[in-house]
Amino acid sequence: MMDFLVDDTHAAAARSARDAAEGAREGSWHVLIVDDEPGVHDVTRLALADLALAGRGVVFHSAFSAREARALMPTLPPLAVILLDVVMETDRAGLDLVRWIRRERGDHAVRIILRTGEPGQAPERSVILDYDINDYKEKAELTAQKLFSAVVSAIRGHRDILALERNRQGLRTVIEASARLYEARYLEQFARGALEQLTSLLYLEPDAALVSARSVAAAVESGPPHVLAAIGALEREPRVVLEEIVPADLLERWISGALDGRVLVADDHIAVCTRRSVESRTLLYLANPARRPICDEELVRLFARNITIAFENLSLRGELEATQAEITAILGGAVETRSQETAHHVTRVSAMAEELGRLAGLETADLETLRLASALHDVGKVGVPDAVLNKPGKLDPDEWEVMKRHTLVGEALLAESSRPVIRAGAIVAGQHHERFDGRGYPRGLSGEAIHLYGRITAIVDVFDALGAKRCYKEPWPLDRIVAHFESEAGAQFDPDLTRLFLDNLERFLEIARRHPDAAAGPAARTSAAA
């Protein structure tokens, strides 16, 4: 028996109720006592009753055999420490439990302190070498002070392991964000990774954010500040309001530029203020009222400098992509205006092509390329005379041959570019009037010889055109459009893509509703018909 034993009375029912109540507390360190002597449980709780580390108390759980511990552990919150007896139902019950925890359960974060009253049963050196044990104590020499020191050291070790794991996860998020620069939300991904890295660096607990810790990354450019990413409790809020998180005076000084390049550490928060350009700056704000952050300001400043560079590079990339998207939209819109087609046709075709590509399983980068390239599908109409382009009624055979040449003109106009989006635009321009059965133009391609971008754009272009008023026709009703696609699946259109399109028709009607013409056709006007 340990020498600080005071009371070995075991009230199992009362303790079970107390453990359940304590276990409900959030933000605590959880310690499991596994020992077949009830008195050991009582004196352990007594010796560690006032233990608190990093603003977090300790919740104790009890098991009186290795078998009971195996059944109990899956029901408990993540454990920081296990105080484990060696000899219980068998001479090696404790060691067998260690092997199960590490190998079968796969828990390498919990710190295990082995306690034995019979050290000869398991020599200390062989146990430490052969098992993943973090400390080995003989009960006879384990005073209250030594137990306190051992458990505090073990909790700190557990905390460090969790911090390293969060750091690794944060780094993975940053790497993934860096590798997916074509994604529309890559800045937000990167900001989230930066927050996760910084919380690890400062030993803040994102899990405790469910109660108190709050972290947010925000940016301000020419307009008002906006939140890029949030973790902890804020991540689960539907809308993060910056003014409700960051103190007003801090927010004002950051926006004004008075805090550029500074790291501010207070008792309940830390703020990293960076400047990305003349009109652009970034704020990483972490609030944890429970305790002052552990902060190496020089390390945080170095981290902030690197984050600033990364944000600037990612912002420049985003600006280039936005410029490219705007140019393609303007070019496609200019052709649309000249041909006196309905407003927003190019906008709808781009959005619908992206949606059909997503349904077809395209990667994010390919979806962005398709969205931009499909806006250029009719760019070749710049080479079609106005008399043909805007002729009311049906074209005669010679005029039809002139009209068909817009596919080759558009392809030739774009094909010399070395830019992937523009080259994809050349493919779409040249192939969006090919037919799946090989009877299309300009080359009579068939089946999968037609590029996927061309097959997708063909469907959404025809769908939008049939539902809109043109100089040569009135808009078709939706049921007639659907019947046309059903009859042309496998002939004019790729049958698999057509079925995918029709099965998800409401999505495309919603796109049409978001971008209506002044005199909207049935596809834009109605959803009930779907």
Side-chain angles (χ1 to χ4, degrees):
M1 189 63 61
M2 290 179 283
D3 61 1
F4 54 87
L5 176 60
V6 175
D7 180 8
D8 63 354
T9 302
H10 175 45
R15 177 181 291 119
S16 177
R18 185 172 67 246
D19 284 349
E22 289 181 332
R25 297 205 315 260
E26 297 188 55
S28 299
W29 306 110
H30 290 265
V31 175
L32 175 62
I33 307 167
V34 186
D35 199 299
D36 59 357
E37 295 184 51
V40 171
H41 294 256
D42 292 325
V43 296
T44 299
R45 291 169 182 264
L46 179 63
L48 303 176
D50 59 347
L51 174 58
L53 183 64
R56 299 168 62 177
V58 177
V59 173
F60 294 99
H61 308 273
S62 288
F64 296 90
S65 68
R67 184 181 303 106
E68 185 181 344
R70 289 194 189 200
L72 181 62
M73 285 181 65
T75 70
L76 298 178
L79 295 171
V81 181
I82 298 177
L83 297 168
L84 177 62
D85 191 14
V86 177
V87 181
M88 290 178 286
E89 60 263 53
T90 68
D91 289 348
R92 298 178 59 84
L95 297 179
D96 292 339
L97 180 61
V98 172
R99 192 182 300 274
W100 176 81
I101 291 170
R102 300 303 196 201
R103 296 187 181 180
E104 295 185 34
R105 184 168 170 79
D107 188 345
H108 298 282
V110 64
R111 304 294 83 194
I112 300 177
I113 300 176
L114 208 62
R115 301 192 291 185
T116 180
E118 304 176 56
Q121 294 283 351
E124 180 177 346
R125 288 191 176 185
S126 64
V127 169
I128 292 175
L129 289 173
D130 297 340
Y131 294 82
D132 187 0
I133 301 293
N134 307 110
D135 204 350
Y136 184 102
K137 300 293 184 183
E138 294 182 24
K139 292 181 181 180
E141 53 96 21
L142 193 58
T143 64
Q145 184 58 44
K146 288 183 178 180
L147 177 63
F148 185 91
S149 299
V151 171
V152 167
S153 296
I155 291 176
R156 284 174 174 160
H158 174 75
R159 179 196 64 185
D160 292 346
I161 288 174
L162 294 184
L164 287 171
E165 176 60 22
R166 287 196 306 274
N167 201 307
R168 187 179 70 85
Q169 293 295 337
L171 181 59
R172 173 182 293 176
T173 302
V174 171
I175 291 172
E176 288 178 350
S178 301
R180 296 174 180 172
L181 297 182
Y182 282 105
E183 291 198 11
R185 295 177 59 83
Y186 66 87
L187 264 178
E188 289 83 347
Q189 283 183 294
F190 195 89
R192 178 182 171 81
L195 286 174
E196 291 174 348
Q197 290 275 42
L198 190 55
T199 54
S200 296
L201 193 65
L202 302 177
Y203 283 106
L204 293 175
E205 298 286 346
D207 292 339
L210 297 174
V211 176
S212 61
R214 300 181 297 176
S215 304
V216 63
V220 58
E221 295 179 5
S222 56
H226 59 280
V227 175
L228 290 173
I231 64 175
L234 295 178
E235 183 181 13
R236 305 193 309 176
E237 295 184 9
R239 181 174 177 267
V240 178
V241 179
L242 199 58
E243 291 77 6
E244 296 178 359
I245 305 164
V246 182
D249 60 331
L250 173 58
L251 192 59
E252 182 178 350
R253 287 190 294 155
W254 167 60
I255 293 173
S256 70
L259 299 178
D260 286 352
R262 296 186 60 184
V263 177
L264 307 179
V265 182
D267 288 338
D268 61 353
H269 72 264
I270 183 168
V272 180
C273 309
T274 63
R275 180 171 178 168
R276 293 156 53 195
S277 66
V278 175
E279 296 183 343
S280 178
R281 48 185 51 88
T282 303
L283 171 69
L284 298 180
Y285 182 83
L286 298 93
N288 192 332
R291 64 185 180 89
R292 183 181 178 88
I294 300 172
C295 182
D296 180 337
E297 291 192 29
E298 185 57 37
L299 187 59
V300 173
R301 192 171 288 107
L302 176 62
F303 175 86
R305 188 181 306 123
N306 291 338
I307 289 296
T308 301
I309 294 171
F311 265 120
E312 186 170 346
N313 288 339
L314 293 175
S315 296
L316 288 173
R317 179 61 179 267
E319 182 65 23
L320 288 173
E321 290 185 351
T323 300
Q324 179 176 250
E326 187 171 339
I327 290 173
T328 56
I330 291 172
L331 182 58
V335 174
E336 178 183 275
T337 301
R338 177 174 176 266
S339 61
Q340 298 179 14
E341 292 178 354
T342 55
H344 303 306
H345 170 67
V346 167
T347 302
R348 292 192 298 268
V349 167
S350 294
M352 290 180 184
E354 181 182 22
E355 183 62 28
L356 186 52
R358 182 178 293 107
L359 292 169
L362 289 182
E363 297 291 335
T364 303
D366 293 327
L367 289 175
E368 179 69 5
T369 298
L370 174 59
R371 181 178 70 84
L372 298 176
S374 60
L376 302 173
H377 66 283
D378 273 342
V379 71
K381 287 182 178 179
V382 297
V384 178
D386 287 347
V388 174
L389 192 61
N390 295 314
K391 178 181 177 180
K394 187 175 181 180
L395 300 177
D396 65 34
D398 290 338
E399 291 169 333
W400 178 237
E401 289 303 317
V402 171
M403 176 62 80
K404 289 197 301 184
R405 285 203 294 271
H406 83 275
T407 55
L408 295 174
V409 171
E411 182 183 64
L413 185 65
L414 304 173
E416 295 302 316
S417 174
S418 61
R419 304 300 176 194
V421 168
I422 305 302
R423 292 183 67 84
I427 292 171
V428 169
Q431 297 186 15
H432 72 289
H433 283 298
E434 298 286 2
R435 290 173 55 100
F436 199 77
D437 60 9
R439 295 189 295 115
Y441 65 89
R443 296 186 175 88
L445 301 177
S446 64
E448 294 187 1
I450 307 169
H451 195 284
L452 180 60
Y453 291 172
R455 284 178 276 146
I456 287 175
T457 304
I459 291 174
V460 298
D461 179 38
V462 171
F463 174 74
D464 192 73
L466 292 178
K469 178 178 175 62
R470 296 289 174 89
C471 63
Y472 52 87
K473 73 168 194 67
E474 292 298 317
W476 287 18
L478 185 59
D479 56 352
R480 183 183 175 190
I481 296 174
V482 171
H484 175 74
F485 275 92
E486 288 176 340
S487 67
E488 290 294 328
Q492 184 175 359
F493 307 115
D494 181 315
D496 294 332
L497 290 175
T498 302
R499 180 44 51 196
L500 202 59
F501 177 81
L502 293 176
D503 287 346
N504 296 275
L505 185 60
E506 179 57 34
R507 298 191 187 196
F508 301 93
L509 293 172
E510 176 57 30
I511 291 172
R513 286 192 290 268
R514 290 202 305 267
H515 307 285
D517 296 332
R525 281 200 308 259
T526 183
S527 61

